[in-house]
Amino acid sequence: MHLPLINGSFTQAEAIDLLTNFIHVKIKFHENKIDKSHNEEDIKMREKRIKQLQKDFYEAKQEILLGGKKCELNAVIEINES
């Protein structure tokens, strides 16, 4: 199953706002998992993932700002049974 979340053309400000909110939700997810975890390895993995999300967001934001006035964003969640 595919769940389309974003599909369209946005201004730079709108695109950055959408990405900011998505990244914050994902970081908050990892922070909540860290708060509940007692496994040092899991905590370190999640801290590393948070840093990578922050780095990726910075790079995406720079690309949006260097681009034109409009930005195409497409995001789909793919759900697979396991």
Side-chain angles (χ1 to χ4, degrees):
M1 175 183 179
H2 294 307
L3 176 63
L5 292 179
I6 304 174
N7 184 13
S9 180
F10 302 91
T11 66
Q12 288 177 331
E14 291 170 333
I16 290 169
D17 187 44
L18 277 168
L19 286 176
T20 299
N21 285 303
F22 275 106
I23 295 296
H24 281 160
V25 166
K26 185 66 179 193
I27 288 173
K28 187 69 176 163
F29 171 82
H30 284 295
E31 288 173 340
N32 288 338
K33 292 289 190 177
I34 288 170
D35 288 344
K36 295 175 184 175
S37 180
H38 299 291
N39 181 332
E40 189 66 31
E41 186 175 312
D42 183 56
I43 291 170
K44 286 183 180 185
M45 180 275 299
R46 291 184 186 283
E47 288 172 341
K48 182 178 178 183
R49 183 66 184 125
I50 288 170
K51 288 178 186 175
Q52 185 63 50
L53 284 165
Q54 291 168 332
K55 180 181 181 286
D56 291 344
F57 172 69
Y58 174 80
E59 290 172 2
K61 184 177 175 183
Q62 294 307 307
E63 188 168 328
I64 290 169
L65 292 173
L66 292 174
K69 292 183 180 183
K70 288 285 188 176
C71 180
E72 291 287 326
L73 294 180
N74 296 291
V76 176
I77 292 181
E78 185 176 321
I79 301 169
N80 298 307
E81 295 182 28
S82 57

